[in-house]
Each structure stands twice: as C-alpha cells, then as structure tokens.
Amino acid sequence: MKLTLQNAFSVKLRSDASTNSAVLKTVLNSHIIDGIKEVIDDHGNQWWQVEVRSSSSAPPLKGFILAQFLKEATAGDPPIPLDRKGFIRSLRFAAIIYGSNRDYLAVVAQIESSMQNIRGTSGSEVAIGPFQFTPTMWAELLASMADKELTNEAIARPSTQALVAAYHSGRNITAFLEKRGVLPTRIELYLTDAFGMDIADAVLNARDADAKKKLSELSLPAIKHFLPAKQATAIINKNEATVEDLLNNIEAQIQEATKAIAPDLKKDNADIPPPISSGEPPWLTVALKESGQKEIPGTGPGNSNKRIEEYHDSAGSPDPDDVPWCASFVSFCMANSDNPMIIENNLKSKLASDWMHWGEPIDNPPIGALCVMSPMVKGSSGHVGFFIKWDSKNVTLLGGNQGDSVCEKDFPVNKIRSFRWLNWKPSLPTSTTKDENVDVLARTLWGEARGEPTKQGREAVASVVLNRTKEPDRFGGTVKEVCKKRKQFSCWNSGDPNLPKLLKVTESDPVFAECMAIATTAVAALLADPTSGATHYHAKSITPAWAIGKIPCARIGSHLFYINIP
C-alpha cells in the first residue's frame, strides 16, 4: 500500500516498533513510502512497517513509523495549508539575497503548484511544495549552493524552497548574461530555470533563426529538469511542436500566473517600508531638465547632438548620438546630481545591464527609481530609465534614447528585470559635536563589529539599532537605551572582555574613527539601511534558538540579519 504523511512535514523512521528504538532516517513528504504490514507494540500503539525511498530508483530502507502519522496516499490528497502572505515575504527577502526577483519567483510558484504546498509527481519522482522540487532536483541545487545550513530535509519548508528557487534563478540570470550577452526576459528565464542553459540556448538560437522550426529537429540534449514545468515539457515531447509553440505556451502561462498573483503582490507591497531617502531624488531632477533632448538625423560632422555626446562622456567617452545612449543618460544624471553619495555610486557605464548592480533591489518603486529592462532590440544588453508610474500592462519610464529622445515612454511590464534604489542623502554634517547617542552607538559598533571586513558590515549593525528605536516599548526609545538594554548587545554586558576596551578606545583607532562617522550619520537619520529593516542579527558561525527556521532578510559580512522576530 502506498502511504504518505498525515498533517506533518517529517517523521522518524525507527529500527523497531518502539519510540525508544534507533532513528534510521527522517522521512519527508517527498519520500516514497510503501506499507508492508501493521504492527501493535507492547503499549497498544499502532505502527506501520514500511519501506522508504528518497526516489523511485533509490534503494529502500526498511523500518517502522507510528501509524498516526501516516495515511493511504491518494491522487486527491489536499495541499498542506500555505501562508501565502508569509511565502511572498520569503520570496522578497530570498530575491534580495540571491539577485533574483520576487514577482518572477511568485509567477513560477503559481505555474508549478498554483502557489500551494502540495505533493505531486514529476516523472518518476515525488514532487513537493510550492516549487514542486523533487529530491533529485533539490540535492543537486543544494550541492551547487554549498550552504551547510540547508539540508535535504528542508525541502518540506516553503521558506527554504524560496531561498533555493531564488538562488537558482539568480544564478541563471548571470549564466544567461554571460552566455548570450543580454538579460533574460521572464520567458527566457523560465525556460532556463526549467531545463538549464544548454537547452534554453539551443531553443533561443532556433527562435532567432526560424521560430517555426520543429523542436524535434534541434537535437536538444537530454532534458534535465530543475523545475517540473509540466506544460512546457509536454510540448517539447510532441513530435510536431515548434519553437514558437513552446515559447507561446510559456508566455501564456506567465501571463495567467501574473494575473492570479497580483492581489498577493499588492498586499506585500503595502508591507514594504518606503526607501529611507524620500522626496524627489536628485538624479530625477536632472533628468526632468533634460526632457526634449533628441538625436540629430544623419551622420557625419554637425549631425550629432552635443548634449547627448556629453551624456556619453559622463560614461567614459564622447561618442556621437547614434551610439545607444540610455545608460549614458543615466550616468549623466548621476554625475550632475550635486550629491556626493550619488556621484560616488555612479557606475559610469554605457551598458544597461550593468545598472543591475547599482543600489539595492526594491519591489515597490517610488518615482525616480531606476528600472532595468530586458532587451527589446536584438543585440542590445537591455534598457534602463527612471520609473514614473505603472499598471498591470505597462510601466512608464523617463529615459534617454526612447524614440531617439529624452522623454516618457511606456514599456511592457513583462520586460521589467529589476527596480533599483539608492538611499541618497545630503552631504555629511560637518559638526564634530558628539552627543551621547552618537558616542554610545560608535562604541557599540566597535564592540560588536570591528572585525567586519567592510564598512557596510558596521553600517548594518547601526541600522539594526536604529530600527529597534521604532519599537520603544520593546527595545528602548533612544539609541543609547537600545544599545545598553540588558542582554541585547553583548559588548555592554558586565564581565564581557570587550567592555573595558570599548570604554577606553579613542578616535586614534582608525576603526573606531570610522564607527564615529557611521554613528554620526545614523543618529542624524541619514544612514542607508542595507538590512531592509532588520531588528536582529547573529554571526554566521552560530545559530541561536530564535533564528531556527527563520529566513534571513540580508547576509552582510559575517552576520545574518532578520526581521519579524517575536
């Protein structure tokens, strides 16, 4: 008899029909369980003697499971309840960590499982969870991640599936860019995520040559699934199916899934705090003043707009206006923002795809956010401009090289690759006044994070302190109160070997001098938060009890950061 777990993600397989017997294995919903016979122990407890396989081809392991945790497996087993709001939040944080995109990940989960925590099948294996990973897919992805904190048993947790799916798509975005020189569209990324770069590249090469060509004529390598992708797989296996049939089917699935998840994304957007820097960003002020600049028709002397040549110059060289200039325009706006932080972070690049590395990814863009688009012209690396507004179909960007001019123009939302934001701030205050909050915060940063390899690691700890001041009843209402709250920041604990050192350190110590600068900026409410609102953190080398089962919102330096910790 085929059995499955009942109201549990995992149970123990024991060597005998006794709770005191040895544990042979942790059995998951994804495992194949064959019932051999029922057994009653000396205390009247009912057990099943079973054979368990991690996949159909794996050798069986025989043992015993309490019958109360099992039931007969049927095709109509209801899904395990999924907290959709919490799952979308997990996707958002996972996307930030691994360079993916929350909306795309939600689309994939909707395609694979209707965003349900279900037990299904993929080929000869059991598939589980919102992304319908099989044990084989899961093990291969974990091996490539080389993250010792993730285990095979974690396949049963939707939040961990979010992490692995984000890693997988983020890795494929990079591989696609390296292989084809452009950022993938959602259709192209799904094709790559499902079947791997080799198959995706072969299909897309055929599309560029002759989209009517039959898939059976492409000599595709053997399919190696990383997602079940049942509809797309069925089309690949049809003798008469064309490249166009496959891509049209994927596009239709993505469009349908996008509509289905729109309410979930809208709710999650309402929970996303606005960027720290509010008001019109300085780069947008510059861009608005450039509206109307356009290319001069023709080539040769006198047929190039000198202002557009200046855009190119800000990105490295004064090319004529017939050289693609959307990214150069962005660079010009950054360079002329009169803001030191923005100027420092100017990438000075003429490639739209390079701006994927600017600032931080955001899902709920304010006006002026940078929007990086997938290519819309063959041979392009993509498009980049400044966000103005959007709806379910189009996003309006203010940008350069849009119809050969600086203007506002609509683009399909399915071409959006990422929204980016930089928490710009005014020049740092020149006052050297050190109030008590600044001094205590600087000493906390020195005590907690002086071993961090980068400044950002110390800024992240400072951000945690500031975020805690927003919960005064719990953590304290001032920076000083938060830092010195009992049993919170260990460097202030009596008996901690750090305490005498942090009380004596002066700005002659270069790290402490940097901590003072960070603290001054933070107390002035001018510090960009790299943690996305974290209130807790711990070193990667340990896992405190409160962090077990929680998904980090950021990984910076030697620390993991979290929000929503009770």
Side-chain angles (χ1 to χ4, degrees), residues 3-42:
L3 301 172
T4 187
L5 303 192
Q6 179 169 262
N7 300 324
F9 286 119
S10 63
V11 296
K12 305 299 184 184
L13 178 70
R14 295 187 178 273
S15 60
D16 204 351
S18 167
T19 54
N20 294 321
S21 62
V23 175
L24 303 177
K25 183 182 182 69
T26 298
V27 181
L28 308 176
N29 255 314
S30 58
H31 289 153
I32 300 169
I33 308 172
D34 290 306
I36 299 174
K37 63 180 179 180
E38 294 182 274
V39 178
I40 305 296
D41 68 16
D42 295 340

Side-chain angles (χ1 to χ4, degrees), residues 98-138:
Y98 288 114
S100 183
N101 177 275
R102 176 204 63 173
D103 296 12
Y104 167 77
L105 294 171
V107 163
V108 174
Q110 181 66 25
I111 289 174
E112 299 303 328
S113 70
S114 297
M115 207 184 291
Q116 297 183 86
N117 195 11
I118 60 176
R119 177 188 172 95
T121 58
S122 179
S124 60
E125 286 195 282
V126 175
I128 187 172
F131 287 100
Q132 289 291 278
F133 288 122
T134 68
T136 298
M137 297 175 195
W138 187 258

Side-chain angles (χ1 to χ4, degrees), residues 23-97:
V23 175
L24 303 177
K25 183 182 182 69
T26 298
V27 181
L28 308 176
N29 255 314
S30 58
H31 289 153
I32 300 169
I33 308 172
D34 290 306
I36 299 174
K37 63 180 179 180
E38 294 182 274
V39 178
I40 305 296
D41 68 16
D42 295 340
H43 302 286
N45 297 316
Q46 187 174 356
W47 295 74
W48 267 103
Q49 185 181 26
V50 298
E51 285 186 339
V52 177
R53 294 176 174 85
S54 58
S55 68
S56 58
S57 59
L61 181 62
K62 188 178 291 187
F64 295 83
I65 298 175
L66 277 168
Q68 71 190 64
F69 297 124
L70 298 172
K71 65 178 180 179
E72 184 177 358
T74 65
D77 281 343
I80 301 169
L82 176 67
D83 173 11
R84 290 175 71 96
K85 182 177 181 180
F87 180 65
I88 293 289
R89 187 187 306 119
S90 295
L91 295 180
R92 181 183 357 132
F93 293 140
I96 291 171
I97 292 170

Side-chain angles (χ1 to χ4, degrees), residues 294-296 298 303-305 308-309 312 319-323 325:
K294 61 178 63 177
E295 295 178 18
I296 296 175
N303 289 319
S304 179
N305 186 325
I308 296 176
E309 291 180 9
H312 281 309
D319 290 320
D321 65 10
D322 58 353
V323 174
W325 49 279

Side-chain angles (χ1 to χ4, degrees), residues 386-563:
F386 301 117
F387 172 79
I388 300 299
K389 61 182 179 180
W390 62 343
D391 56 30
S392 61
K393 294 182 179 180
N394 294 307
V395 58
T396 302
L397 302 183
L398 170 64
N401 208 15
Q402 298 186 165
D404 296 336
S405 68
V406 177
C407 64
E408 291 186 10
K409 186 177 179 180
D410 290 344
F411 297 90
V413 293
N414 63 5
K415 292 288 187 179
I416 295 172
R417 176 61 197 93
S418 179
F419 290 114
R420 317 289 298 184
W421 183 260
L422 181 74
N423 283 317
W424 57 274
K425 56 192 177 185
S427 301
L428 295 180
T430 56
S431 171
T432 58
T433 301
K434 302 181 183 66
D435 68 23
E436 202 167 9
N437 285 313
V438 171
D439 186 70
V440 170
L441 177 56
R443 295 181 188 282
T444 303
L445 301 182
W446 190 85
E448 293 279 321
R450 66 180 179 275
E452 284 294 299
T454 66
K455 179 182 179 182
Q456 188 183 42
R458 286 176 278 279
E459 289 178 335
V461 173
S463 295
V464 168
V465 173
L466 262 65
N467 292 332
R468 287 190 172 197
T469 63
K470 299 171 185 176
E471 299 182 54
D473 293 340
R474 182 181 181 190
F475 297 116
T478 68
V479 168
K480 178 183 175 182
E481 289 173 356
V482 169
C483 290
K484 292 193 172 185
K485 188 173 177 66
R486 187 170 178 266
K487 292 186 177 181
Q488 293 300 308
F489 293 93
S490 61
C491 63
W492 290 102
N493 292 345
S494 59
D496 189 290
N498 265 320
L499 185 57
K501 298 177 183 178
L502 73 85
L503 292 175
K504 294 180 180 179
V505 68
T506 68
E507 289 185 67
S508 61
D509 181 312
V511 176
F512 183 67
E514 180 183 83
C515 291
M516 284 297 301
I518 294 171
T520 301
T521 304
V523 172
L526 298 175
L527 182 67
D529 182 359
T531 73
S532 300
T535 55
H536 289 71
Y537 67 91
H538 66 79
K540 289 180 181 178
S541 57
I542 63 171
T543 303
W546 58 260
I548 295 174
K550 302 297 192 300
I551 180 172
C553 62
R555 300 184 181 201
I556 301 171
S558 61
H559 291 110
L560 302 180
F561 294 80
Y562 301 80
I563 66 169

Side-chain angles (χ1 to χ4, degrees), residues 198-496:
D198 289 343
I199 286 182
D201 191 49
V203 169
L204 296 175
N205 285 338
R207 174 203 62 187
D208 296 341
D210 179 10
K212 299 291 185 182
K213 192 168 186 176
K214 292 180 181 179
L215 290 163
S216 58
E217 299 174 357
L218 299 186
S219 300
L220 295 175
I223 293 178
K224 185 177 182 180
H225 282 285
F226 295 96
L227 293 170
K230 290 183 178 180
Q231 287 193 37
T233 301
I235 289 176
I236 288 178
N237 291 331
K238 285 183 179 179
N239 288 331
E240 299 301 312
T242 66
V243 170
E244 187 175 55
D245 292 334
L246 174 61
L247 298 179
N248 285 346
N249 174 268
I250 293 176
E251 182 176 20
Q253 289 188 76
I254 289 175
Q255 289 177 346
E256 183 178 346
T258 299
K259 292 178 182 178
I261 64 174
D264 298 291
L265 299 182
K266 185 176 181 180
K267 291 177 183 176
D268 189 56
N269 285 340
D271 292 337
I272 299 174
I276 293 174
S277 303
S278 58
E280 183 176 281
W283 59 79
L284 183 62
T285 304
V286 177
L288 289 167
K289 293 178 180 178
E290 297 297 310
S291 293
Q293 291 289 344
K294 61 178 63 177
E295 295 178 18
I296 296 175
T299 58
N303 289 319
S304 179
N305 186 325
K306 297 298 183 182
R307 189 62 164 177
I308 296 176
E309 291 180 9
E310 290 181 30
Y311 300 163
H312 281 309
D313 194 32
S314 69
S317 61
D319 290 320
D321 65 10
D322 58 353
V323 174
W325 49 279
C326 66
S328 294
F329 176 70
V330 169
S331 181
F332 174 87
C333 295
M334 302 298 173
N336 290 275
S337 64
D338 291 328
N339 181 286
M341 184 175 183
I342 297 170
I343 294 170
E344 180 184 349
N345 283 274
N346 184 8
L347 298 185
K348 300 179 182 179
S349 175
K350 298 183 181 183
L351 288 177
S353 58
D354 282 353
W355 291 89
M356 279 290 297
H357 306 291
W358 181 81
E360 298 292 334
I362 55 172
D363 292 305
N364 194 19
I367 292 176
L370 198 67
C371 181
V372 183
M373 309 289 289
S374 297
M376 285 162 279
V377 178
K378 189 174 181 179
S380 164
S381 75
H383 182 68
V384 62
F386 301 117
F387 172 79
I388 300 299
K389 61 182 179 180
W390 62 343
D391 56 30
S392 61
K393 294 182 179 180
N394 294 307
V395 58
T396 302
L397 302 183
L398 170 64
N401 208 15
Q402 298 186 165
D404 296 336
S405 68
V406 177
C407 64
E408 291 186 10
K409 186 177 179 180
D410 290 344
F411 297 90
V413 293
N414 63 5
K415 292 288 187 179
I416 295 172
R417 176 61 197 93
S418 179
F419 290 114
R420 317 289 298 184
W421 183 260
L422 181 74
N423 283 317
W424 57 274
K425 56 192 177 185
S427 301
L428 295 180
T430 56
S431 171
T432 58
T433 301
K434 302 181 183 66
D435 68 23
E436 202 167 9
N437 285 313
V438 171
D439 186 70
V440 170
L441 177 56
R443 295 181 188 282
T444 303
L445 301 182
W446 190 85
E448 293 279 321
R450 66 180 179 275
E452 284 294 299
T454 66
K455 179 182 179 182
Q456 188 183 42
R458 286 176 278 279
E459 289 178 335
V461 173
S463 295
V464 168
V465 173
L466 262 65
N467 292 332
R468 287 190 172 197
T469 63
K470 299 171 185 176
E471 299 182 54
D473 293 340
R474 182 181 181 190
F475 297 116
T478 68
V479 168
K480 178 183 175 182
E481 289 173 356
V482 169
C483 290
K484 292 193 172 185
K485 188 173 177 66
R486 187 170 178 266
K487 292 186 177 181
Q488 293 300 308
F489 293 93
S490 61
C491 63
W492 290 102
N493 292 345
S494 59
D496 189 290

